[in-house]
């Protein structure tokens, strides 16, 4: 009788990957009655050239395009994909393969894409970030400390004028950026155009009063052509950045808008809302470090990466691996977490720590990340007993203390805003 399936042809434990293969590390659990080899053969097959059964005729090219599971250890497998499978410069197509149908196969109970090594032959078709961390620092003339920002809170509900006024207070307290929240775009009570205009007025005022450069991450998330229109408006009003909710907008839309923003000379702040729907389960889905890799590849200037101590999930190990993927030129492998990656010509991107932050947690976060990051403290400035401006001051004092090697308690003796923040929140870790 003819063989029904050909999955074993996708497993070759003697295979030595070629220099330009894309290598992917997966965690997997076979379904009952399926051996590990059968499971990984199916993963390699369905994510490359496979179908569920043997065929009668195939052009010889097919053989060369087959992925190969070449390394198995415990519940981990590495699969090598020939470069010819992948379209030049099309990140969405890569995801349709290595992060596509395979998550729904009956043969695997759980499957998690942990990381991928992208060879130079793949990277060379992408531009990556337009500025890199260095370029952003040069643009802002802030060379050592973390960049700081805050979202007006509550998240949504302020009019454009109210929003701009809170932004002004945030800037006056010493912060660099005012950020929109992920679900604020252009609503009846706070139109994008009004916010851009009114914030720009306030920005000029704050820049005059402080002598510092002030910016904003204003959310352009919408249909792709509309995002481009909004990005253009931001550039026209002298803003250096736009913000996009990159997961909900989708890889290709982000890539299109990203290229357009690079042409306009503006940077992009990537919010990751919805990522936890596929990054949170440790056995299934896609890791945040891999999402961060795709976003650096397509060129965002910075992306949310967690705090470990704040209100949202994310362990210290996860947070630091995301930071490595975004910042390092050569990422070192970490078993079960990261594969090695040489980024070649692709510039770096800033990680962004946000979510449940307040001054008392700033040393923890800076201790974990170092100072090359964007630090967002939102509820934790507006909830300061003396208001937003004092809250931003308290956070900047906490940053200064960390950079001077002082404890917050010491610093608070000469920093009344910080003292007051510590009285309210102490070192509380929110949930
Ligand atoms: C933070 C935040 C961010 C989250 C996103 C919020 O506000 O604006 O969206 O940080 O999470 O709405 O929760 P608070 P992450 O500072 O008031 O908590 O950065 O982990 O993707
Ligand atoms: Mg938010």
């Amino acid at each position: 009788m003819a063989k029904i399936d050909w999955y074993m042809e996708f497993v070759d434990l003697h295979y030595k990957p070629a220099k330009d293969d894309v290598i992917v590390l997966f965690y997997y659990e076979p379904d009952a009655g399926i051996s590990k080899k059968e499971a990984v053969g199916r993963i390699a097959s369905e994510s490359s050239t496979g179908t569920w059964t043997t065929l009668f005729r195939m052009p010889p090219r097919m053989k060369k395009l087959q992925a190969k599971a070449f390394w198995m250890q415990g519940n981990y497998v590495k699969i090598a994909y020939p470069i010819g499978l992948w379209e030049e410069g099309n990140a969405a197509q890569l995801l349709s393969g290595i992060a596509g149908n395979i998550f729904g196969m009956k043969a695997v109970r759980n499957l998690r894409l942990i990381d991928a090594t992208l060879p130079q032959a793949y990277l060379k078709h992408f531009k990556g970030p337009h500025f890199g961390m260095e370029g952003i620092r040069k643009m802002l003339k802030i060379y050592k400390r973390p960049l700081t920002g805050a979202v007006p809170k509550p998240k949504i509900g302020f009019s454009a004028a109210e929003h701009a006024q809170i932004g002004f207070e945030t800037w006056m307290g010493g912060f660099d950026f005012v950020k929109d929240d992920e679900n604020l775009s252009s609503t009846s009570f706070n139109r994008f155009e009004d916010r851009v205009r009114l914030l720009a007025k306030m920005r000029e005022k704050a820049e005059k009063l402080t002598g510092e450069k002030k910016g904003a991450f204003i959310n352009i998330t919408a249909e792709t052509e509309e995002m481009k229109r909004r990005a253009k408006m931001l550039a026209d009003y002298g803003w250096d950045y736009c913000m996009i909710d990159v997961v909900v907008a989708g890889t290709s839309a982000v890539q299109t808008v990203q290229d357009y923003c690079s042409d306009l000379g503006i940077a992009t702040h990537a919010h990751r809302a919805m990522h936890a729907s596929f990054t949170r389960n440790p056995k299934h889905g896609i890791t945040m470090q891999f999402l961060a890799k795709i976003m650096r590849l397509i060129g965002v200037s910075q992306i949310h990466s967690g705090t470990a101590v704040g209100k949202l999930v994310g362990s210290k190990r996860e947070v630091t691996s995301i930071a490595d993927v975004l910042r390092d030129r050569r990422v070192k492998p970490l078993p079960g977490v990261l594969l090695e990656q040489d980024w070649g010509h692709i510039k770096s991107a800033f990680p962004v720590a946000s979510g449940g932050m307040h001054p008392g947690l700033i040393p923890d976060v800076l201790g974990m990340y170092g100072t090359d990051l964007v630090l967002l403290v939102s509820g934790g400035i507006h909830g300061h007993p003396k208001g937003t401006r004092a809250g931003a001051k308290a956070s900047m004092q906490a940053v200064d203390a960390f950079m001077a090697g002082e404890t917050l308690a010491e610093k608070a003796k000469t920093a009344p805003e910080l003292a007051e923040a510590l009285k309210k929140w102490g070192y509380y870790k929110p949930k």
Side-chain angles (χ1 to χ4, degrees):
M1 212 175 75
K3 264 180 80 184
I4 287 187
D5 73 55
W6 63 328
Y7 290 126
M8 283 308 170
E9 289 185 30
F10 293 79
V11 185
D12 180 357
L13 298 177
H14 298 292
Y15 178 72
K16 293 250 171 321
K19 203 171 135 246
D20 53 8
D21 282 352
V22 169
I23 309 289
V24 183
L25 173 66
F26 293 99
Y27 169 86
Y28 69 101
E29 289 173 7
D31 197 26
I34 300 272
S35 73
K36 283 187 172 170
K37 268 197 177 169
E38 285 169 331
V40 301
R42 282 161 171 75
I43 299 166
S45 163
E46 188 61 33
S47 55
S48 61
T49 60
T51 181
W52 62 274
T53 190
T54 50
L55 301 173
F56 286 106
R57 259 184 309 161
M58 279 194 299
R61 184 187 318 108
M62 286 298 170
K63 195 81 199 151
K64 283 202 203 127
L65 290 174
Q66 280 181 219
K68 283 165 213 70
F70 67 95
W71 175 96
M72 294 170 73
Q73 207 168 82
N75 287 79
Y76 292 87
V77 60
K78 285 185 195 169
I79 298 180
Y81 296 84
I83 190 72
L85 275 174
W86 310 117
E87 181 184 343
E88 302 85 349
N90 186 346
Q93 187 245 358
L94 177 70
L95 298 182
S96 299
I98 65 173
N101 294 353
I102 48 177
F103 292 114
M105 294 186 93
K106 285 181 176 167
V108 287
R109 191 169 341 130
N110 282 303
L111 177 67
R112 186 156 170 87
L113 192 174
I114 297 175
D115 195 10
T117 299
L118 306 173
Q120 297 306 312
Y122 188 76
L123 293 181
K124 74 177 183 199
H125 301 289
F126 291 86
K127 295 185 194 139
H130 182 67
F131 295 97
M133 292 192 292
E134 263 182 44
I136 299 269
R137 284 199 176 281
K138 223 187 238 169
M139 176 167 97
L140 301 170
K141 300 194 175 64
I142 301 169
Y143 295 101
K144 292 219 165 82
R145 66 167 174 81
L147 311 179
T148 51
V151 184
K153 293 282 173 177
K155 272 179 192 271
I156 184 165
F158 291 120
S159 69
E162 290 157 353
H163 185 104
Q165 186 55 42
I166 299 169
F168 177 73
E169 288 298 306
T170 304
W171 285 321
M172 291 306 292
F175 271 22
D176 307 307
F177 294 99
V178 175
K179 177 186 158 298
D180 281 359
D181 231 318
E182 65 282 353
N183 54 347
L184 177 63
S185 56
S186 187
T187 48
S188 58
F189 51 85
N190 187 338
R191 290 290 177 207
F192 178 83
E193 291 74 12
D194 297 334
R195 196 159 72 252
V196 170
R197 226 171 4 90
L198 294 174
L199 262 175
K201 261 194 198 153
M202 287 303 188
R203 178 191 68 206
E204 273 160 37
K205 197 169 150 193
E207 285 186 338
K208 260 198 203 116
L209 288 168
T210 60
E212 294 162 0
K213 193 161 168 51
K214 300 296 182 185
F217 309 144
I218 303 180
N219 191 3
I220 65 170
T221 303
E223 176 281 321
T224 311
E225 286 304 322
E226 179 63 16
M227 283 202 271
K228 287 168 71 179
R229 199 188 66 73
R230 290 181 187 177
K232 174 77 170 62
M233 181 175 181
L234 289 175
D236 290 344
Y237 273 81
W239 296 105
D240 296 323
Y241 264 94
C242 69
M243 163 177 157
I244 313 174
D245 295 340
V246 291
V247 180
V248 295
T251 314
S252 297
V254 176
Q255 209 176 338
T256 301
V257 174
Q258 176 58 54
D259 277 358
Y260 184 68
C261 288
S262 298
D263 291 345
L264 290 172
I266 65 173
T268 45
H269 174 94
H271 196 288
R272 60 178 179 166
M274 201 168 97
H275 77 93
S277 62
F278 55 84
T279 62
R280 186 170 184 171
N281 180 342
K283 293 181 170 180
H284 191 82
I286 300 174
T287 62
M288 186 55 216
Q289 58 269 29
F290 179 72
L291 176 67
K293 176 168 278 186
I294 292 293
M295 289 301 149
R296 177 172 173 184
L297 178 74
I298 64 177
V300 303
S301 310
Q302 58 206 38
I303 180 164
H304 286 241
S305 45
T307 63
V309 289
K311 71 180 184 189
L312 295 148
V313 288
S315 67
K316 193 172 167 182
R317 194 179 72 165
E318 185 197 87
V319 168
T320 52
S321 344
I322 303 166
D324 289 350
V325 166
L326 293 172
R327 298 189 298 202
D328 292 357
R329 196 171 133 64
R330 281 169 203 276
V331 183
K332 288 196 207 78
L334 182 62
V337 182
L338 290 175
L339 293 179
E340 65 178 357
Q341 178 67 52
D342 180 347
W343 278 104
H345 72 285
I346 304 274
K347 290 183 186 152
S348 59
F350 274 111
V352 179
S354 177
M357 293 298 300
H358 60 80
L361 294 179
I362 287 177
D364 286 339
V365 168
L366 298 188
M368 188 169 59
Y369 275 107
T371 48
D372 269 334
L373 92 150
V374 179
L375 175 66
L376 302 180
V377 188
S378 301
I381 70 165
H382 308 303
H384 190 284
K386 293 257 160 53
T388 298
R389 193 185 294 212
K393 273 192 188 160
S395 298
M396 294 307 283
Q397 290 159 352
V399 170
D400 288 346
F402 177 86
M403 298 202 47
E406 261 179 302
T407 64
L408 295 188
E410 273 173 81
K411 178 77 178 178
K413 289 180 192 156
T414 56
E417 292 83 4
L418 178 60
E420 193 126 12
L422 290 177
K423 221 191 294 164
K424 173 164 179 179
W425 292 298
Y427 304 91
Y428 168 68
K429 294 185 177 150
K431 261 203 176 135

